[in-house]
Amino acid sequence: AFAKPAPSRFAYWAAEFALAPLADAIVCVSGWDRRLALSHRVGRPNHLHVIHNGIRVPPEPPHRGSWPDRPRIVCVARLSSQKDVPLLLEALQRETEERIAQLGIGDRVRLLGDRPDVVSQLSQYDVFALPSNWEGFPFSTIEAMSAALPVVASSVGGVPEQVVDGGTGY
């Protein structure tokens, strides 16, 4: 909650700070979240426990074949200030719906909306990207790795705990 934008940050901190003494244990989704809670005096060290998010993975990773000449990149993220999708698009020289239209790249960028079939969608791409300003321990990168996609993600929050630089992504 501490990494959220300023208006809601204080409200989240106040609620977490007030309720922490009532809890027997507090689950943090990453070591980064635990360190953040400790730095803001939310909970006691022996009450803060890290349990990473998880997903069901296939017994065998999908076979990807050889690297394509024109790799297809996928990003699974909400269009919010937390997820810095414009950064990704600018890095690829693109942006959101309005920017997509301005750039005339509608034939190459698809915004699929909220999808229940993310895992099957991921199998159609070659690289997963997650530009973000803050994270706890994102499900989307775990889903991408379960689909055997290399991951390029912002080094924020708990992302470095799941994406091994040079191993599973950058």
Side-chain angles (χ1 to χ4, degrees):
F2 309 111
K4 294 188 181 308
S8 61
R9 188 180 314 156
F10 180 77
Y12 279 103
W13 173 81
E16 290 175 345
F17 185 81
L19 295 173
L22 304 175
D24 292 329
I26 298 172
V27 174
C28 303
V29 296
S30 65
W32 179 84
D33 276 346
R34 184 178 186 279
R35 290 185 298 277
L36 194 59
L38 288 170
S39 74
H40 289 283
R41 295 191 201 98
V42 172
R44 296 180 304 279
N46 60 332
H47 288 167
L48 293 167
H49 305 280
V50 174
I51 301 176
H52 292 131
N53 294 331
I55 63 165
R56 184 179 306 215
V57 297
E60 297 275 330
H63 176 68
R64 290 259 158 224
S66 59
W67 188 254
D69 291 332
R70 292 182 58 143
R72 297 180 69 197
I73 300 171
V74 62
C75 173
V76 176
R78 292 183 316 280
L79 292 179
S80 69
S81 61
Q82 176 184 4
K83 311 299 182 185
D84 200 352
V85 175
L87 173 66
L88 171 62
L89 295 171
E90 286 173 18
L92 300 171
Q93 301 182 352
R94 323 238 193 295
E95 204 174 292
T96 53
E97 287 176 342
E98 206 172 276
R99 185 79 170 131
I100 291 167
Q102 287 175 345
L103 294 169
I105 57 173
D107 61 327
R108 296 186 310 252
V109 175
R110 294 181 353 202
L111 301 174
L112 301 179
D114 193 11
R115 300 292 296 246
D117 60 341
V118 169
V119 174
S120 65
Q121 290 291 318
L122 291 173
S123 67
Q124 301 172 39
Y125 297 90
D126 303 303
V127 177
F128 177 84
L130 180 65
S132 190
N133 292 313
W134 69 88
E135 288 294 337
F137 199 82
F139 281 104
S140 59
T141 51
I142 302 169
E143 290 170 327
M145 288 188 274
S146 77
L149 288 174
V151 174
V152 177
S154 300
S155 183
V156 296
V159 173
E161 294 174 47
Q162 57 186 192
V163 178
V164 178
D165 191 23
T168 58
Y170 295 97

